[in-house]
Amino acid sequence: MTGIICGTGSYAPSYVMDNNEIAAMVDTSDEWIKERTGVATRHIIKGETTVSMACEAARRALLDSGVRAEEVELIIVSTISSNVILPCTACEVQRELGAENATCFDMSAACSGFVLAYNTALAYLSGGIYRTVLIIGSESLSNLTNWKDRSTCILFGDGAGAAVMKAGEGRAYLPVTCSDGGKGKALTCLSRHTPVESAHMNDPEYYMQMDGQAVFKFAVKKVPEAVNEVLRKNHVSKEEITWYVLHQANSRIVESVAKRLEEPIEKFPMNLQEYGNTSSASIAILLDEMKRDGRLKNGQKIVIAGFGAGLTWGASVMEWG
Ligand code: ACO
């Protein structure tokens, strides 16, 4: 028994912020941002929330899967940027969708969040505990972005992606997941409920702060290691993998991972040019785009890999359809 993705959906706010708009706020340029990150635009909320985007992505995934909201037995939302603490984002989605039979909880693992939500759903499905699960990554990172800090504000965007998973016959591949809290200072953001000395909501501690080079080095070393390990553990060869769907942080990170794995860059789809880094939503949004444009075909083997704050990272193998 395993878990199979049978529907996907995504939502991005209609407001698109290009690099020139950022260059009007901080000392940077379209050329610098594109060259160092690959990002050209990002979608930014104007009235939407983490909950509303999660709901819309989920509605689209349910429609795509043909599953009714009442059939969903578990909803997991991965987010670090919800507009609600209580009730949790997943319960808000449940109410809005009328998924009255679902158990709901949120997960917080930053840019590794969707991979961990997928693994959790897979464990419940392959263990026979649930038959139908909805997983969602939804982020309003613009609320956690310091728009005066040029080293971070160029990177992030808002959006949500969702997948419906059903129990079915097949192989449940083993995941690789890792965390290193000892290196957590590389990427931080204090909760708005944490008092800092002479606290003011404009203090940079309340926004994402990052040692960009440290995160970059961590990602290009640990992601290929995790991918190699997940393939070895499951006795799957690189030749069998059609796509490596990585967290969309920076095109140079994706290119470097491809190079270290000695795999062609064509196997590494990217949409960060349009969305920027949407943390736990990025892999789900990309899977949805690939499903809709026909790149994903039944029987293909895919690796998904996430990495980010924590530090956390991990990779999973799945068979599509
Ligand atoms: N525009 C122009 N110049 C800039 C900008 C900018 N936006 N940002 C930094 N610079 C300058 C720096 O001040 C520095 O100038 P100096 O040489 O005079 O001191 C120079 O550019 C080089 O700075 P670096 O930090 O070395 O630039 P780098 O090539 O490392 O690129 C970047 C920075 C894009 C942040 C890169 O390090 C990166 O992408 N890191 C990974 C970030 C990431 O993926 N984070 C998300 C993790 S996922 C999660 O959990 C949220």
Side-chain angles (χ1 to χ4, degrees):
M1 188 69 85
T2 188
I4 299 158
I5 293 182
C6 59
T8 61
S10 62
Y11 177 85
S14 56
Y15 181 71
V16 176
M17 183 186 280
D18 66 17
N19 290 341
N20 290 324
E21 195 171 340
I22 294 191
M25 293 188 267
V26 291
D27 182 14
T28 190
S29 67
D30 177 47
E31 195 188 2
W32 194 97
I33 301 170
K34 280 185 184 150
E35 191 195 310
R36 297 295 180 107
T37 71
V39 178
T41 60
R42 67 286 292 145
H43 295 253
I44 301 291
I45 51 170
K46 292 270 183 211
E48 296 98 336
T49 63
T50 297
V51 168
S52 73
M53 292 191 294
C55 288
E56 195 47 43
R59 277 190 198 99
R60 293 174 186 185
L62 285 173
L63 196 66
D64 185 48
S65 68
V67 168
R68 284 178 294 112
E70 313 87 73
E71 294 175 67
V72 175
E73 293 167 309
L74 175 66
I75 301 174
I76 305 173
V77 177
S78 168
T79 184
I80 54 165
S81 53
S82 191
N83 50 305
V84 293
I85 295 175
L86 296 174
C88 69
T89 311
C91 278
E92 293 281 271
V93 172
Q94 174 191 32
R95 190 195 61 236
E96 288 298 316
L97 264 52
E100 57 205 32
N101 299 310
T103 295
C104 307
F105 61 85
D106 292 357
M107 292 178 71
S108 167
C111 305
S112 306
F114 189 77
V115 175
L116 289 169
Y118 172 81
N119 293 341
T120 307
L122 188 63
Y124 277 114
L125 291 164
S126 51
I129 297 167
Y130 297 118
R131 287 155 301 166
T132 309
V133 179
L134 173 60
I135 54 173
I136 306 166
S138 185
E139 303 286 6
S140 310
L141 296 179
S142 58
N143 285 335
L144 305 181
T145 298
N146 180 352
W147 292 101
K148 292 179 184 154
D149 175 6
R150 69 175 182 172
S151 68
T152 54
C153 74
I154 57 169
L155 297 170
F156 300 106
D158 301 333
V164 177
M165 293 175 69
K166 281 181 123 173
E169 290 307 315
R171 192 172 155 198
Y173 294 94
L174 297 170
V176 167
T177 54
C178 311
S179 304
D180 183 358
K183 298 206 172 69
K185 289 272 184 280
L187 185 38
T188 58
C189 180
L190 280 186
S191 151
R192 306 277 160 115
H193 304 279
T194 309
V196 294
E197 263 177 52
S198 62
H200 188 277
M201 286 317 256
N202 289 329
D203 282 343
E205 288 95 330
Y206 290 123
Y207 298 97
M208 287 184 283
Q209 293 186 306
M210 184 178 62
D211 178 344
Q213 286 192 9
V215 175
F216 194 98
K217 282 181 194 152
F218 143 73
V220 301
K221 182 169 187 292
K222 294 299 184 184
V223 175
E225 282 177 12
V227 171
N228 277 326
E229 176 64 9
V230 85
L231 295 178
R232 191 198 57 75
K233 213 169 162 177
N234 291 291
H235 308 287
V236 174
S237 70
K238 285 182 200 163
E239 291 70 37
E240 292 175 71
I241 301 299
T242 309
W243 304 110
Y244 297 91
V245 181
L246 305 191
H247 165 50
Q248 301 288 291
N250 182 318
S251 56
R252 288 192 297 137
I253 293 178
V254 178
E255 284 156 11
S256 175
V257 171
K259 206 166 167 188
R260 286 183 188 219
L261 287 170
E262 298 179 337
E263 283 283 77
I265 190 68
E266 290 72 26
K267 285 176 138 183
F268 294 74
M270 282 189 250
N271 64 2
L272 59 89
Q273 305 86 327
E274 176 182 346
Y275 296 95
N277 177 346
T278 56
S279 194
S280 66
S282 76
I283 292 173
I285 294 173
L286 185 50
L287 285 175
D288 180 49
E289 274 191 9
M290 293 174 72
K291 180 165 192 286
R292 281 187 288 115
D293 68 23
R295 274 178 287 175
L296 294 180
K297 297 188 170 53
N298 287 355
Q300 288 177 339
K301 285 196 183 71
I302 298 167
V303 169
I304 58 171
F307 54 91
L311 298 171
T312 56
W313 66 102
S316 298
V317 184
M318 65 171 78
E319 221 164 291
W320 195 257

